[in-house]
Amino acid sequence: MKRTIVLTILALFLTACLPNEGQPPLATNTPLLSTPTPASVPQTSTQPEASSLAPESDFFAQKGITLPAPTCSDLTQSQTEGPYYTPNTPERNSLLEEGMPGTRLLLVGYVLDQNCQPLPNAWLDFWQADANGEYDNVGYRLRGHQFTDAQGRYYLETVLPGIYASRPIRHIHVKVQAEGGEVLTTQLYFPDQPVEGLTVTLEDRGDYLVGYFDFVVQR
Ligand code: FE
């Protein structure tokens, strides 16, 4: 009887030990299991970058916009500032307000340096007339600044500017500045009244237009 108890205890002891012996194979398996981990390491390492880009990259992805590869020949030419610039605009990517009349326009593109390299954190300050050709010279309606994302991209949700009597050509004013660079003051135009080198390429998406324009500025 005693022998049976001793044998039972021994058997239990050995059984208890077996999983421990089984661990080395498991541990041996770990590198195999973790073999994909190195492959997932780059994903992990890109995640913080992706998350830091999240609002912008989500926005471009959500809109199904892939910017065409930039082609740069010259620096973007400057244009007169005009009489309606207001400094210290709010930082925002959307100038849209509820009930704002006009054709919706999504302006997108890169800010690039003279070597055609995208410039992160470049400053852009937009101002424009509303669909009726009127500027808000008291507040900040249809005015706003923003900074390019880590890929040097910007986007602006707005409306197609109207034409006003003193200047019957559709345009959006903008100032652009690379970090530490000089301010470029210029204007963007549209295919119905194009201006060479400063005309937005339009894509009709039915309920809104996408306008593509890349700025090339000196760093
Ligand atoms: Fe103007």
Side-chain angles (χ1 to χ4, degrees):
M1 185 64 181
K2 273 183 184 174
R3 188 171 294 172
T4 310
I5 290 167
V6 168
L7 283 172
T8 306
I9 289 168
L10 268 172
L12 285 170
F13 179 75
L14 285 169
T15 309
C17 287
L18 275 175
N20 290 334
E21 287 172 4
Q23 275 178 359
L26 276 176
T28 311
N29 281 339
T30 307
L32 285 174
L33 288 170
S34 66
T35 304
T37 308
S40 68
V41 164
Q43 286 174 11
T44 313
S45 66
T46 58
Q47 270 173 4
E49 203 179 320
S51 65
S52 69
L53 290 177
E56 296 84 1
S57 52
D58 284 353
F59 182 85
F60 282 88
Q62 279 167 17
K63 295 290 181 183
I65 290 172
T66 306
L67 296 182
T71 52
C72 310
S73 48
D74 296 312
L75 295 172
T76 301
Q77 60 181 284
S78 65
Q79 294 266 288
T80 180
E81 179 176 292
Y84 302 130
Y85 178 63
T86 303
N88 306 315
T89 56
E91 181 176 354
R92 54 189 177 183
N93 289 83
S94 178
L95 306 181
L96 295 175
E97 291 170 17
E98 203 169 321
M100 188 175 266
T103 303
R104 295 289 184 265
L105 170 68
L106 172 58
L107 198 60
V108 293
Y110 288 104
V111 177
L112 306 153
D113 70 9
Q114 58 271 45
N115 299 315
C116 217
Q117 295 303 302
L119 292 171
N121 210 33
W123 171 80
L124 302 105
D125 198 4
F126 292 96
W127 73 104
Q128 66 169 91
D130 66 13
N132 299 315
E134 289 172 2
Y135 284 89
D136 175 6
N137 291 313
V138 178
Y140 294 98
R141 189 164 171 262
L142 289 169
R143 299 172 186 274
H145 78 271
Q146 60 175 280
F147 297 90
T148 50
D149 67 15
Q151 296 178 47
R153 302 176 301 181
Y154 73 91
Y155 72 86
L156 182 75
E157 293 181 288
T158 185
V159 292
L160 204 59
I163 291 169
Y164 51 97
S166 62
R167 187 133 186 273
I169 182 168
R170 205 182 299 283
H171 62 279
I172 292 179
H173 296 266
V174 61
K175 288 177 181 284
V176 188
Q177 184 181 31
E179 250 187 317
E182 287 183 13
V183 176
L184 164 74
T185 301
T186 192
Q187 300 178 39
L188 302 183
Y189 299 91
F190 294 87
D192 59 341
Q193 296 171 291
V195 171
E196 195 178 345
L198 291 173
T199 301
V200 167
T201 301
L202 284 185
E203 176 191 332
D204 190 349
R205 294 236 175 149
D207 54 351
Y208 67 101
L209 300 169
V210 180
Y212 297 88
F213 192 87
D214 292 344
F215 296 94
V216 185
V217 297
Q218 246 166 351
R219 183 150 44 169

